[in-house]
Amino acid sequence: MTTDPQPAPVTPVAPRGKRRQTGPVTLRGHNVPSTTTDQRLLEGRQPNEWLHADPWRVMRIQSEFVEGFGTLSELGPAAAVFGSARTLPDDPAYATGVEVGRLLAEAGYAVITGGGPGAMEAANKGAFQAGGTSVGLGIELPFETGLNEYVDLGINFRYFFARKVMFLKYSRGFIVLPGGFGTLDELFEAVTLAQTQKVTQFPVVLMGVAYWQGLLDWLRDTVLEDGMISPSDLDRLVLTDDPNEAVRVIRTYEENHS
C-alpha cells in the first residue's frame, strides 16, 4: 500500500499594505514605523537616552549631504519645479507641468522635482519623454510611496533640510505650479534665502495666474503696504500662464548673469 505524498505547506503571502521609503530603504506592512525620522529628531519630549543618541544622528545627516552632493555634483544646468502631489492627471495643471518639464529639457536643463505624484510627476514626465534628465528628490512621508516612474535619477531623503539644500544648490531657477503648504514652504524659503542674500539670486516663476494672483495681491496690498517687505522682493516673482515664458525667464536670467 502506497501513500500519496503530502503537498508542501503553502506560506501565506502578506498583503503589500502600507509602504514607506526611508532613505534608500523600502519598508512595508508591520515594518512601517508610526513616526518619521524628522519627527523623531524634532521631538522634545523623549526619554533621556535619546539625548545621548542625538550626536550619532549627525552621522546619518552627514551621509545624506554626502550622497546628495556626490550624486548631483555633475548634473549640469538644472531647474526645480515645485507643485502639489494632489494634482490629478486630468487637471490642467498636470498638463502644464508636463509641458514645463518638456520645454526645460529641450532647453538643456535637468528637471528637479520632489519626485512624488501629481505636479511633480507631470514635470518629471515631460523631461523624461523629451529625453532630458529627470531628477526626483524624495522625502520620507507617511502618506507618499516613493519616487514616481518618470524619475531616472532619484535620491530619497530622511530629513527635509538636507533635501532643501539640494534643491537650492543645484537649481538655477524655480517654476512653481499650484500647490499647498509644501509648495508654499518651498516657494517662500527660496524667496527668503534670496532676500537675505543667503543664496545667489535666481528667478522664481509662478505658473497659473488664476491660482497665484490672490497671493500676489495680498503681498502687494497688505505685506508691502505695511512695510514688511520691499518692492524689490516682489520683483523676484514672475507670474504667467505660459510655459514658454516660464522657461524663457530662466534662460534670460542665466544668460544675463553668466
Side-chain angles (χ1 to χ4, degrees):
M1 179 177 178
T2 60
T3 304
D4 293 333
Q6 295 297 313
V10 177
T11 302
V13 177
R16 296 176 70 85
K18 295 186 298 182
R19 181 174 182 270
R20 171 84 60 84
Q21 195 76 34
T22 303
V25 178
T26 299
L27 302 171
R28 287 196 176 96
H30 66 275
N31 290 306
V32 176
S34 60
T35 58
T36 66
T37 308
D38 262 333
Q39 186 178 353
R40 292 190 293 275
L41 171 66
L42 298 173
E43 175 60 60
R45 294 173 295 178
Q46 305 179 57
N48 288 338
E49 61 264 23
W50 280 101
L51 298 175
H52 305 293
D54 279 347
W56 291 102
R57 285 180 169 151
V58 174
M59 304 300 291
R60 177 177 285 174
I61 293 167
Q62 176 181 311
S63 73
E64 294 210 335
F65 282 107
V66 171
E67 189 72 33
F69 293 153
T71 302
L72 301 175
S73 60
E74 298 181 359
L75 184 61
V81 181
F82 299 139
S84 176
R86 304 185 187 192
T87 302
L88 299 176
D90 59 355
D91 190 314
Y94 189 97
T96 299
V98 173
E99 182 71 358
V100 165
R102 180 184 70 81
L103 291 171
L104 284 170
E106 291 177 351
Y109 292 92
V111 174
I112 306 177
T113 79
M120 295 174 282
E121 176 187 287
N124 285 132
K125 179 179 180 179
F128 180 84
Q129 292 179 339
T133 301
S134 178
V135 182
L137 306 182
I139 185 68
E140 174 194 353
L141 292 175
F143 44 79
E144 289 187 16
T145 57
L147 301 175
N148 67 69
E149 63 180 325
Y150 299 104
V151 169
D152 53 25
L153 178 60
I155 310 171
N156 280 298
F157 291 88
R158 291 181 172 91
Y159 299 103
F160 264 115
F161 53 84
R163 177 182 184 242
K164 288 179 176 180
V165 168
M166 303 305 151
F167 275 118
L168 291 162
K169 181 174 177 61
Y170 294 104
S171 300
R172 300 188 181 182
F174 299 86
I175 297 177
V176 188
L177 297 164
F181 285 150
T183 303
L184 291 169
D185 173 60
E186 292 162 337
L187 164 62
F188 281 111
E189 180 163 46
V191 174
T192 299
L193 290 173
Q195 178 199 51
T196 55
Q197 299 182 25
K198 292 294 185 182
V199 295
T200 306
Q201 301 290 340
F202 44 69
V204 178
V205 182
L206 303 179
M207 287 294 310
V209 173
Y211 190 87
W212 294 111
Q213 187 64 65
L215 174 63
L216 290 182
D217 290 343
W218 175 75
L219 289 172
R220 182 186 62 252
D221 299 338
T222 301
V223 184
L224 177 62
E225 185 69 22
D226 288 349
M228 302 301 176
I229 59 175
S230 301
S232 60
D233 295 326
L234 283 180
D235 293 341
R236 305 177 197 280
L237 303 174
V238 177
L239 179 63
T240 184
D241 281 324
D242 184 0
N244 286 284
E245 182 182 357
V247 176
R248 185 165 55 249
V249 166
I250 292 177
R251 294 187 66 180
T252 301
Y253 186 91
E254 187 171 1
E255 290 167 0
N256 292 338
H257 292 78
S258 60

